[in-house]
Amino acid sequence: VRVNGIGDWLGSISGPMRPPYPGHALPTMAAPEPQPPPEGSRPLSALLSGIAQAAFHGNAGITEDLLRTQLYPEAPPEEFRALRAKMRGLLQSIASADMDLNQLEAFLTAQTKKQGGITSDQAAVIAKFWKNHRTQIHESLINQSRWDNVLKNMNWRVDLKSQLRHIDQINTPVAIVEMELGKNGQEVSLRELNMCLVISDCLLKGR
């Protein structure tokens, strides 16, 4: 009889356990080593990573052909295309709702019971992937949803004008506001705004 661990070994013994005989000790057994993930989960996890890179992080180099040849080389193109489309749809639904763990569990359980849905093993892989990558995907979607540049930093100071066309404007205090605008991952541009303190004071007081 093949024994797969101390639990199975104990279960194979019938009757109550007896103390060891004098001078003899019970044999010690090493703790079972953690089992590696199922072989089929590895390509699926890599497929989810590729889909996320292309869909959420803008990596156009990860194509359908690349994923198929690297992860599922023996799968017919039509079969892989259907698998990729299914996983992409599930990821988009999960990411658009920014599901927490309870919502994710309910969603994936419903998908396993759905005709033509996913298996329990696939659901486990998807759950693990989302748990590890939820924050990065959510931040990427937030950045993509911004229509224009955002304010990164702002500084201001007060200067006195020393060179002007009209002499009566010399030594007039001026507020200089410097704003850094840009998107994440892109070069930041600097914008400078000069405003006479007399005008700014009127604006602040609503005159």
Side-chain angles (χ1 to χ4, degrees):
V1 178
R2 184 178 179 181
V3 177
N4 294 322
I6 191 169
D8 294 339
W9 179 69
L10 291 176
S12 64
I13 302 178
S14 59
M17 293 188 62
R18 299 181 176 87
Y21 293 104
H24 295 79
L26 287 175
T28 59
M29 299 186 66
E33 296 181 358
Q35 295 296 323
E39 194 66 28
S41 68
R42 295 176 181 176
L44 180 58
S45 180
L47 175 61
L48 295 173
S49 297
I51 293 173
Q53 284 292 326
F56 306 127
H57 301 292
N59 193 337
I62 301 181
T63 63
E64 178 181 325
D65 290 338
L66 176 65
L67 293 174
R68 185 178 67 84
T69 55
Q70 294 293 325
L71 303 176
Y72 295 88
E74 299 180 359
E78 297 80 9
E79 180 179 329
F80 175 77
R81 188 173 296 112
L83 175 64
R84 177 176 174 268
K86 179 186 295 185
M87 294 300 150
R88 178 187 174 94
L90 292 175
L91 274 184
Q92 287 179 332
S93 298
I94 295 171
S96 61
D98 191 27
M99 296 185 183
D100 58 27
L101 296 182
N102 292 332
Q103 292 171 326
L104 179 66
E105 181 180 2
F107 176 75
L108 293 178
T109 300
Q111 293 298 318
T112 59
K113 298 178 179 180
K114 180 180 177 181
Q115 184 176 4
I118 59 176
T119 65
S120 57
D121 290 339
Q122 290 175 332
V125 175
I126 296 172
K128 182 178 180 179
F129 175 83
W130 179 246
K131 188 183 302 182
N132 294 334
H133 297 86
R134 176 186 178 185
T135 301
Q136 298 93 320
I137 292 176
H138 181 68
E139 291 177 353
S140 179
L141 290 177
I142 291 296
N143 293 332
Q144 293 177 20
S145 66
R146 291 175 176 149
W147 291 355
D148 207 341
N149 294 331
V150 295
L151 180 64
K152 294 290 186 179
N153 191 24
M154 184 179 70
N155 297 308
W156 68 275
R157 68 181 187 273
V158 177
D159 287 350
L160 294 177
K161 294 181 179 181
S162 59
Q163 295 181 357
L164 287 171
R165 295 180 180 179
H166 305 286
I167 192 171
D168 58 340
Q169 294 181 352
I170 294 179
N171 294 331
T172 301
V174 177
I176 299 178
V177 181
E178 295 179 346
M179 296 177 290
E180 295 181 359
L181 304 175
K183 293 183 178 181
N184 290 339
Q186 297 183 4
E187 184 177 354
V188 176
S189 61
L190 181 64
R191 298 288 188 273
E192 185 174 296
L193 176 64
N194 296 343
M195 182 179 294
C196 175
L197 285 185
V198 176
I199 299 176
S200 60
D201 184 62
C202 293
L203 292 175
L204 292 175
K205 292 182 178 180
R207 296 177 181 173

